[in-house]
Amino acid sequence: MELEDFYENKRRNNKNSEPQRCSQNEGRAQNRRGSRCLMPITVCLGILCLLLIVGIVLQYFHGASKRGHLWGPDGLFISNELKSWSESRQYCRDRGADLIIINTEEKQRFISSFIKERVWIGLSDIENEGIMKWVDNSPLNQVFWAEGEPNNYGSRDEDCIELNPDKHTLNNWNDLKCSDKKKAICEK
Ligand SMILES: [Ca+2]
Ligand SMILES: [Ca+2]
């Protein structure tokens, strides 16, 4: 009898343990299903983050193109439209800046290293022929004229100054007709 009781108890215990194994298996299956469900959510979140970053970058560049191309901490930017010298000056002033004043060799080198095309700077002899003045009315002390310039060439009404990066870094200014259309360097 004792032996029969022993086997009877063992059978019962085995029956009881089956649901437990089942539930463990179900738990693992659910975990696997859960992992599979998380994968697409993670991918979607990744794509959303990527789109957000792309949106922010595009917005930045859109804003920068409206402002002009920013150059960094010095508050310098180049206008993105071809305009006469006076219109270019207005473009800068509309953005809280003015045409650039270049009064040191260091600044001349710095600007020349950035510029890739001919641009207006804030120098002219519009008021008095032959007397160059910066846009803040300060006199011209240090000069970086290209060879033979300023020459008031042709019709003798070259009163506005451009910087031509194709010339030597320290000799690249030229007087030009103010009505010529060029981009400009603005400075805040
Ligand atoms: Ca002139
Ligand atoms: Ca000239």
Side-chain angles (χ1 to χ4, degrees), residues 149 151-153 158 174-176:
E149 304 294 346
N151 59 2
N152 225 23
Y153 183 76
E158 290 193 328
N174 172 40
D175 60 342
L176 207 62

Side-chain angles (χ1 to χ4, degrees), residues 75 77 89-99 186-188:
F77 56 95
R89 189 174 183 200
Q90 193 58 49
Y91 176 99
C92 298
R93 295 176 94 162
D94 288 345
R95 288 156 181 79
D98 207 335
L99 287 170
C186 306
E187 179 180 41
K188 286 198 177 183

Side-chain angles (χ1 to χ4, degrees), residues 52-120:
L52 192 65
I53 290 166
V54 170
I56 290 168
V57 170
L58 285 177
Q59 199 154 31
Y60 172 79
F61 282 112
H62 181 64
S65 75
K66 273 187 169 176
R67 289 191 300 273
H69 301 294
L70 287 175
W71 279 356
D74 296 326
L76 299 175
F77 56 95
I78 186 166
S79 66
N80 52 9
E81 293 165 36
L82 297 169
K83 290 177 179 295
S84 70
W85 187 88
S86 297
E87 289 168 344
S88 292
R89 189 174 183 200
Q90 193 58 49
Y91 176 99
C92 298
R93 295 176 94 162
D94 288 345
R95 288 156 181 79
D98 207 335
L99 287 170
I100 192 169
I101 293 170
I102 304 174
N103 46 14
T104 64
E105 182 178 320
E106 186 188 13
K107 200 167 177 182
Q108 168 71 14
R109 286 185 185 280
F110 178 68
I111 298 302
S112 297
S113 71
F114 271 103
I115 293 297
K116 300 284 182 264
E117 59 193 304
R118 295 162 71 159
V119 286
W120 292 125

Side-chain angles (χ1 to χ4, degrees), residues 12 29 36 46 49 53 61 66 70-71 74 118 121 125 127 137 140 147 151 155-156 178:
R12 278 184 196 146
R36 279 199 295 271
C49 285
I53 290 166
F61 282 112
K66 273 187 169 176
L70 287 175
W71 279 356
D74 296 326
R118 295 162 71 159
I121 61 174
D125 67 345
E127 288 182 16
N137 288 322
L140 178 62
E147 193 180 345
N151 59 2
S155 58
R156 302 187 66 79
C178 298

Side-chain angles (χ1 to χ4, degrees), residues 123-125 128 130-134 138-140 145 150 161 175:
L123 185 64
S124 77
D125 67 345
N128 295 300
I131 300 174
M132 294 287 166
K133 274 203 311 190
W134 291 108
S138 59
L140 178 62
W145 294 113
I161 312 309
D175 60 342

